[in-house]
C-alpha cells in the first residue's frame, strides 16, 4: 500500500470512531480510541469526558470519576464535566453529592434537560434511602438532640426523682441545642430530621434495595453532622460567630485579628454554603449570604485576602445566578455586569468569559435576542475550545432564528456544525444540523432542509434521543 493510501489518524477521527464504538456497546475498543486520542492531545477535557463515560459503562466508577474531575481541573465551569461527575457519583451511591453537581450544571446550562432529570433521580434516590421528609412532622416543642432523648428515657425510668437536677439538665440541653443551631446553620434542620427518624422503629428495621439497613444510613448521617459540628467548633468557635452579627465596623476590627489562613478557610466554607443553598433551591438565602460575604471581603485588604478582586467578581456572579433563579431579571443583569466590569478592570479572562455568558443568558431569557447576540459575539474570541464555540454559535444562531433572520441563523448553524465536527461531538452535531435545517425551512430551501433533517435523524439515533427523533420526524 502506498503512503498516500494510509488512513490519516487524527484526534477528531479517533473521537468519532470511539464515540461510534461506544454507541454500539463496544466499550473496550472505544476506550482504546480515547486513550490514543489523549496521546495526541493530552489533557483534552472533552476527550476526558468521553473516556469517563466509557469507564462508567464498563463499571469502572473510580476511573470515571477521576476523568470527570480532571476535566474540571482544566475548566471549573465545564458543564459536561459537572454532569459526568454527577453521574459517576450517582452510580457510586453518593446521591447527595451527585445532587449538588446536577444543580451546578443546571445553573450553567438551564437549557439542557438532562440536568433536571439528574436532579429528579438523585432526589428520588435520597428519598428511597431515608424516606420523604414531608412524611415526618417535626415539632419545635420536642427535644431534637440524641442526648435529650436519652435523658428523657432516663427521666421516665426514674419517674420524677431529683426534680431540681432535671431542671438543670433541661437548661443545659436547651443551651446545647442553641449551640448546635449556631454551628450547623442550615444543616441543623437535617440533623433534627434524621434524629426524628430514629423514633420510627419500623422504618429503622427496614433495608434498602441494596440490603443496607436504614438505621445504619441514618446513624451515618448523624455521625457526619456531629463531626462537621466538632470541626467548625474548632475552626471557628461560637463567640466568633457572635461578632459576625454585629455592625460592619466591629466585624472589621475582629477580622483583622484573624490570620490569612483562617480568613481563607472562612471564605471557602461560606462559598461552599452559598453554592449548596442555591443547589437546594434556597435562592433567597444563597443571595443574602453572598451579599454578606461580599461586604466582608470588600472590607479586607489584599494582604489578608489574596485574589480579592477575583472573589468579588465571583460573588457578583453567584448573586446574579440567585437573582435569576428568583425571577429578578433586571437585578441579575446588573450583578452580572458588575462581574464583567470587575473582570475587565483586573484582566481576568476566564471571569470575563463567564460574565458575558451569563449576561447573554439573561438577555435571551427576557426576549432581548439582539442584545444576547451582541454579548455572545463579544465572547467568541474568549472561547477556549471547539466544543465551546459549537455551543456559542448555536445559541447565537438560535437568537437570529427568533428574530426571523434566517440567513444569519443558517450561517451560525453551519459554524456550530463545523466546530462540533472538529471535536467529533455527536450531540452538538445534532443540534447544529437541526438549526441549519430550521433556518432553511424559513428560507424556503425545502430540499436542503429535508436532507439536513435526515442527517439530524441519523445523529439522534446515535445519541440516542427518542425525543429528538420524534421532533425531527414531526
Amino acid at each position: 500500500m502506498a503512503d498516500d493510501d494510509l488512513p490519516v489518524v487524527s484526534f477528531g477521527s479517533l473521537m468519532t470512531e470511539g464515540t461510534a464504538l461506544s454507541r454500539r456497546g463496544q466499550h473496550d475498543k472505544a476506550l482504546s480510541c480515547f486513550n490514543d486520542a489523549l496521546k495526541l492531545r493530552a489533557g483534552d477535557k472533552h476527550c476526558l469526558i468521553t473516556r469517563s463515560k466509557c469507564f462508567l459503562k464498563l463499571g469502572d466508577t473510580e476511573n470515571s470519576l477521576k476523568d470527570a474531575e480532571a476535566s474540571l481541573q482544566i475548566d471549573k465551569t465545564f458543564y459536561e464535566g459537572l454532569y459526568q461527575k454527577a453521574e459517576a457519583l450517582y452510580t457510586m451511591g453518593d446521591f447527595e453529592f451527585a445532587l449538588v453537581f446536577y444543580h451546578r450544571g443546571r445553573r450553567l446550562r438551564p437549557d439542557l434537560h438532562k440536568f433536571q432529570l439528574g436532579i429528579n433521580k438523585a432526589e428520588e434516590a435520597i428519598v428511597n434511602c431515608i424516606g420523604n421528609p414531608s412524611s415526618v412532622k417535626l415539632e419545635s416543642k420536642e427535644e431534637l438532640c440524641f442526648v435529650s432523648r436519652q435523658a428523657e428515657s432516663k427521666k421516665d425510668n426514674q419517674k420524677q426523682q431529683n426534680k431540681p437536677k432535671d431542671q438543670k439538665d433541661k437548661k443545659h440541653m436547651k443551651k446545647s441545642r442553641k449551640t448546635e443551631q449556631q454551628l450547623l446553620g442550615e444543616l441543623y434542620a437535617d440533623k433534627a430530621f434524621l434524629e426524628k427518624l430514629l423514633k420510627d422503629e419500623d422504618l429503622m428495621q427496614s433495608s434498602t434495595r441494596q440490603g443496607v439497613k436504614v438505621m445504619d444510613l441514618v446513624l451515618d448521617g448523624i455521625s457526619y453532622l456531629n463531626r462537621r459540628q466538632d470541626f467548625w467548633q474548632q475552626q471557628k468557635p461560637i463567640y466568633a460567630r457572635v461578632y459576625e452579627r454585629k455592625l460592619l465596623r466591629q466585624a472589621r476590627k475582629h477580622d483583622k485579628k484573624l490570620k490569612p489562613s483562617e480568613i481563607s478557610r472562612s471564605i471557602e466554607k461560606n462559598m461552599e454554603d452559598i453554592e449548596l443553598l442555591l443547589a437546594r433551591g434556597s435562592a433567597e438565602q444563597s443571595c443574602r449570604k453572598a451579599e454578606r460575604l461580599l461586604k466582608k471581603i470588600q472590607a479586607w485588604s489584599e494582604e489578608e485576602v489574596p485574589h480579592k478582586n477575583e472573589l468579588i467578581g465571583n460573588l457578583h456572579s453567584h448573586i446574579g445566578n440567585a437573582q435569576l433563579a428568583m425571577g429578578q431579571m433586571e437585578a441579575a443583569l446588573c450583578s452580572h455586569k458588575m462581574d464583567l466590569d470587575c473582570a475587565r478592570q483586573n484582566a481576568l479572562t476566564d471571569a470575563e468569559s463567564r460574565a458575558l455568558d451569563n449576561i447573554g443568558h439573561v438577555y435571551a431569557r427576557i426576549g432581548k435576542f439582539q442584545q444576547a447576540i451582541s454579548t455572545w459575539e463579544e465572547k467568541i474570541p474568549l472561547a477556549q475550545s471547539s466544543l465551546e464555540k459549537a455551543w456559542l454559535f448555536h445559541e447565537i444562531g438560535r437568537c437570529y432564528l427568533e428574530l426571523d433572520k434566517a440567513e444569519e441563523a443558517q450561517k451560525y448553524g453551519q459554524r456550530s456544525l463545523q466546530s462540533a465536527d472538529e471535536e467529533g461531538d455527536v450531540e452538538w452535531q445534532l443540534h447544529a444540523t437541526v438549526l441549519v435545517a430550521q433556518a432553511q425551512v424559513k428560507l424556503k430551501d425545502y430540499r436542503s432542509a429535508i436532507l439536513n433533517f435526515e442527517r439530524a435523524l441519523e445523529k439522534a439515533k446515535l445519541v440516542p434521543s427518542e425525543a429528538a427523533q420524534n421532533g425531527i420526524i414531526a
Side-chain angles (χ1 to χ4, degrees), residues 127-128 130-138 193 196-197 200 203:
V127 169
N128 286 340
I130 63 171
N132 193 336
S134 64
S135 66
V136 181
K137 186 177 180 181
L138 292 175
F193 169 64
K196 189 72 176 177
L197 286 182
D200 190 334
L203 179 62

Side-chain angles (χ1 to χ4, degrees), residues 194-210:
L194 291 174
E195 289 176 340
K196 189 72 176 177
L197 286 182
L198 285 172
K199 291 184 177 181
D200 190 334
E201 293 181 6
D202 293 335
L203 179 62
M204 291 302 101
Q205 295 305 314
S206 64
S207 300
T208 66
R209 292 176 185 173
Q210 289 78 26

